Amino acid sequence: DQQVKQNSPSLSVQEGRISILNCDYTNSMFDYFLWYKKYPAEGPTFLISISSIKDKNEDGRFTVFLNKSAKHLSLHIVPSQPGDSAVYFCAASGSTGTASKLTFGTGTRLQVML
Amino acid sequence: KAGVTQTPRYLIKTRGQQVTLSCSPISGHRSVSWYQQTPGQGLQFLFEYFSETQRNKGNFPGRFSGRQFSNSRSEMNVSTLELGDSALYLCASSLGTGGYYEQYFGPGTRLTVT
C-alpha cells in the first residue's frame, strides 16, 4: 500500500522555466512533509519541508505547496537550472504509530535541458 | 563534521548467503534508519534504531534484521539472500527519532545477489 505517491516517474523542463513536481498521500495522520533530492551514487539530501499548519514554504528557488484537503503537495523550482537534474523524493511523517516513520514516494526524475 | 558513512559501498553475493552492512552516523546523532531503494519502489523503510533500541519497523520479512551499538553505529543483516534483495541500501542518521527530524543519508551500499 503506497501511502505516498509520485505519479510522474520523469519530467523534462527547459532551463530557466518552472519545474513542478507533484506528490499525493493517503494517510491522514501525516502532518509533516519533506522533499529530498538524490544524485546518482549519492544518498538523498534534504531540500525543503512543510508542516501541515502551513500551506506554503519558500526557500530561494524552491517552494513547496500543501493542499491538505486534497492530500496533495507540490514542489516548484523557479528558475530551473541544469544542476537541478536529479531524482526528487517526496516524504511524509506523522507523530504516532506507523506514521511516525518517514514514508517516501517512488521519486520523480527531473531533467533540466539547456 | 564527517557525514554518514556506509561500508562496503558495493557487494556481490550469491543466493542463500547472508550479508552484513555497516553504517556510522554523524557524530552526536543517536538515531539510525535503514532503507531499501529499488527501481520503481522508491525508498522502503526497513527499521529505525535509537539508543540501541528498535523504534520502528517496516514491512520486511524476518530475514532482515539490524542492531545498534552503544556508539550509535548500526549494522543490518540479511540472511538467506534472494535475487529480489538486490538493491541500494541506504542508512540515515538524525538527532532524534521519528520523521520530524532531518535525516542525513549515507551514499548507500549497492548489493547485487546472483
Side-chain angles (χ1 to χ4, degrees):
Chain A
D1 175 33
Q2 195 72 30
Q3 297 186 57
V4 178
K5 299 175 187 178
Q6 294 177 256
N7 292 318
S8 298
S10 64
L11 175 68
S12 289
V13 168
Q14 209 70 32
E15 182 183 9
R17 305 295 289 268
I18 184 171
S19 295
I20 300 177
L21 294 90
N22 294 303
C23 177
D24 297 294
Y25 62 96
T26 58
N27 192 335
S28 56
M29 300 301 291
F30 290 148
D31 58 9
Y32 187 61
F33 305 90
L34 310 90
W35 286 93
Y36 280 79
K37 173 174 158 179
K38 185 179 186 300
Y39 292 117
E42 295 181 14
T45 54
F46 170 76
L47 196 56
I48 192 170
S49 64
I50 187 167
S51 162
S52 61
I53 61 172
K54 295 177 139 186
D55 53 20
K56 176 182 171 181
N57 188 28
E58 232 175 309
D59 184 1
R61 299 185 296 113
F62 302 90
T63 303
V64 56
F65 295 91
L66 175 62
N67 182 334
K68 288 186 290 292
S69 60
K71 292 191 174 67
H72 175 84
L73 63 155
S74 60
L75 174 68
H76 292 209
I77 307 173
V78 185
S80 300
Q81 299 174 354
D84 296 330
S85 297
V87 178
Y88 290 77
F89 291 98
C90 166
S93 179
S95 59
T96 58
T98 56
S100 64
K101 61 180 171 64
L102 205 54
T103 301
F104 283 85
T106 52
T108 296
R109 181 176 302 277
L110 173 66
Q111 185 176 7
V112 180
M113 299 172 295
L114 297 168
Chain B
K1 188 185 267 192
V4 177
T5 58
Q6 292 187 246
T7 55
R9 291 292 310 276
Y10 302 91
L11 206 47
I12 299 175
K13 288 286 189 178
T14 305
R15 264 184 309 174
Q17 288 186 314
Q18 75 158 9
V19 66
T20 299
L21 312 181
S22 181
C23 172
S24 293
I26 291 172
S27 177
H29 286 192
R30 295 167 63 193
S31 172
V32 173
S33 297
W34 288 89
Y35 298 86
Q36 181 195 66
Q37 185 188 1
T38 53
Q41 291 294 313
L43 277 71
Q44 303 280 306
F45 174 79
L46 281 154
F47 25 66
E48 180 192 15
Y49 287 87
F50 182 82
S51 294
E52 301 178 67
T53 301
Q54 188 179 88
R55 292 303 181 101
N56 224 325
K57 191 176 188 307
N59 295 324
F60 278 82
R63 300 185 296 107
F64 292 81
S65 63
R67 58 177 176 167
Q68 186 180 33
F69 302 95
S70 57
N71 62 358
S72 294
R73 192 177 70 83
S74 177
E75 288 180 348
M76 69 161 279
N77 184 78
V78 188
S79 62
T80 319
L81 283 165
E82 300 177 359
L83 294 179
D85 297 333
S86 294
L88 180 68
Y89 290 88
L90 291 159
C91 157
S93 76
S94 59
L95 283 168
T97 183
Y100 291 165
Y101 287 88
E102 183 178 338
Q103 299 199 2
Y104 296 79
F105 284 84
T109 294
R110 170 75 60 187
L111 172 65
T112 302
V113 182
T114 61

